[in-house]
Amino acid sequence: MRKIKLIMQIVAAFIIAMFAYNLVYEPYRQEARTTVQQGLPRWEQLVGQAAEPDKEVPDGKLRVTVLDVGQGDAILLQDGKRNVLIDVGDSRKDETGKGGRPALEQALAKAGVQAGRDKINTVIVTHHHGDHMGNIKWLAGKYNVSNIYDNAMPNTKNQTSVWLNRELRAGHYHNRVLKAGDKVDFGKGYYLEVLSPGDFIAAKDLKNLNNTSIVMKLHYGEFTMLFTGDAEAPVEDALQKRYGDNLKSDVLKVGHHGSKTSSIYKFISRVKPQYALISCGAFKIYNHPNKNVVGSLQHLGARVMTTFERGNLTVTTDGKAFEVQAER
């Protein structure tokens, strides 16, 4: 009788332990995620002092800055010889007056790139949504852009997209249509490996412009960083099935501003980033980043930082080690 009672106690303890694990640790459960205070999310795991990087990029180093442009994406790559911009943010300000063209110009200036003085050699438009390509017409003139690469999947509801598509297809800029398997090579172990879009993405999923995003993995020596545009869950799932552990990267630019539509656990567990950088606007307006996404990233050991709270987020690497600095 005592043995039966002991066995029943062990079983009960096991059930309670499993319940507690699912409730507290399992990363899909909302209760497991780090909560984000309404209005002003704050992260406990921040690395890098609030310091503005040097205006000049040191020889032999690459600087990647996730620019603080409000609700949108704009990421600047500087190797001391050329400036490359992945997305250009939105031309519109939000209801609080933040973002828009002034935010992009100011963020670029803080990174040492001045309108009318400095050249942005290449712009890569990940997809044709306004918050990723809204400033392209203005920027192309102000920064003497030569190369504009895109996915050739225009947004017919967006006037800027229609203009850009017409300009590119007419050959007014040097253009490449990027797709899985392509490589944008800057030489000496510095290149962008294009992972998506590709024919492994279901046609029905590509009807959502977010899923047409050009996804790229940056290689600079041994350093790697993954850029995901606004790619959502179906694309992330297809990517993790296709590339598996080859997705692993030191730094992740989190998809779709940290929205719940992206950053599925299977995908980010393949990437396993040390840092997860999120470009987003005011939490009280957009509810970005989603606290479940933040929780999953932190559960996997990533340190999460947002432009909304920390300003320009700058990664500097010599191809081996790297460091991350925040503007504030």
Side-chain angles (χ1 to χ4, degrees):
M1 192 69 181
R2 288 181 179 176
K3 288 184 178 180
I4 294 174
K5 186 176 180 180
L6 179 60
I7 291 170
M8 290 182 68
Q9 288 175 336
I10 292 171
V11 171
F14 178 78
I15 292 171
I16 292 170
M18 288 300 295
F19 176 79
Y21 174 84
N22 286 328
L23 184 63
V24 177
Y25 294 106
E26 213 292 319
Y28 287 107
R29 298 294 295 270
Q30 180 157 328
E31 294 88 341
R33 312 304 169 79
T34 303
T35 57
V36 180
Q37 292 186 358
Q38 296 295 316
L40 283 173
R42 299 198 64 83
W43 320 121
E44 294 180 358
Q45 299 182 38
L46 293 179
V47 170
Q49 299 300 313
E52 189 174 331
D54 295 335
K55 296 295 184 183
E56 298 296 327
V57 181
D59 288 343
K61 291 192 176 183
L62 175 70
R63 192 162 70 199
V64 181
T65 306
V66 180
L67 299 172
D68 179 17
V69 294
Q71 184 65 20
D73 267 17
I75 302 109
L76 178 66
L77 280 61
Q78 300 166 281
D79 64 356
K81 298 177 181 177
R82 64 182 71 79
N83 297 313
V84 176
L85 198 57
I86 301 173
D87 289 330
V88 298
D90 204 328
S91 61
R92 303 165 297 177
K93 295 182 180 180
D94 65 26
E95 61 190 58
T96 69
K98 303 295 184 181
R101 186 179 301 163
L104 176 62
E105 187 169 9
Q106 183 179 37
L108 283 168
K110 287 177 181 178
V113 180
Q114 294 282 354
R117 183 194 73 184
D118 297 309
K119 178 180 177 63
I120 294 177
N121 306 76
T122 300
V123 173
I124 300 173
V125 174
T126 62
H127 65 294
H128 285 244
H129 269 154
D131 59 334
H132 289 252
M133 47 78 67
N135 287 311
I136 187 63
K137 187 174 183 179
W138 167 81
L139 181 126
K142 279 287 184 181
Y143 295 86
N144 195 23
V145 175
S146 300
N147 312 313
I148 302 178
Y149 304 160
D150 76 331
N151 59 12
M153 299 181 189
N155 179 2
T156 57
K157 297 178 181 179
N158 183 295
Q159 300 256 338
T160 303
S161 173
V162 171
W163 171 85
L164 178 62
N165 186 59
R166 183 173 62 246
E167 290 290 298
L168 295 183
R169 306 300 80 90
H172 293 166
Y173 295 88
H174 178 250
N175 171 247
R176 286 181 62 187
V177 177
L178 298 178
K179 60 187 183 304
D182 288 341
K183 181 178 179 181
V184 182
D185 196 344
F186 302 112
K188 296 184 179 180
Y190 171 28
Y191 63 94
L192 291 163
E193 175 189 7
V194 183
L195 306 181
S196 187
D199 56 12
F200 59 95
I201 308 295
K204 63 181 178 61
D205 293 325
L206 291 175
K207 292 179 181 179
N208 177 349
L209 280 181
N210 285 341
N211 290 331
T212 69
S213 292
I214 298 170
V215 177
M216 297 174 289
K217 184 173 179 178
L218 165 68
H219 299 259
Y220 188 81
E222 298 172 12
F223 172 79
T224 53
M225 182 170 178
L226 194 62
F227 303 99
T228 54
D230 277 353
E232 296 187 2
V235 172
E236 290 182 336
D237 190 42
L239 286 168
Q240 67 89 17
K241 288 176 179 175
R242 183 177 181 86
Y243 298 104
D245 292 338
N246 288 329
L247 290 172
K248 189 174 187 325
S249 301
D250 297 307
V251 181
L252 170 66
K253 197 294 295 182
V254 177
H256 202 192
H257 320 291
S259 167
K260 64 182 179 181
T261 64
S262 304
S263 301
I264 63 171
Y265 193 75
K266 286 182 180 179
F267 175 73
I268 59 176
S269 65
R270 295 285 198 180
V271 181
K272 292 181 181 174
Q274 296 179 49
Y275 289 82
L277 308 183
I278 302 175
S279 181
C280 60
F283 183 81
K284 64 183 179 181
I285 300 175
Y286 305 101
N287 293 319
H288 293 157
N290 179 268
K291 60 184 177 181
N292 292 359
V293 168
V294 173
S296 290
L297 288 163
Q298 290 181 333
H299 177 87
L300 287 164
R303 294 184 172 106
V304 181
M305 305 173 81
T306 75
T307 56
F308 171 63
E309 185 170 66
R310 303 284 285 176
N312 280 5
L313 304 174
T314 304
V315 183
T316 305
T317 179
D318 61 0
K320 294 181 179 178
F322 71 96
E323 63 178 2
V324 180
Q325 288 182 306
E327 177 187 341
R328 55 181 182 266

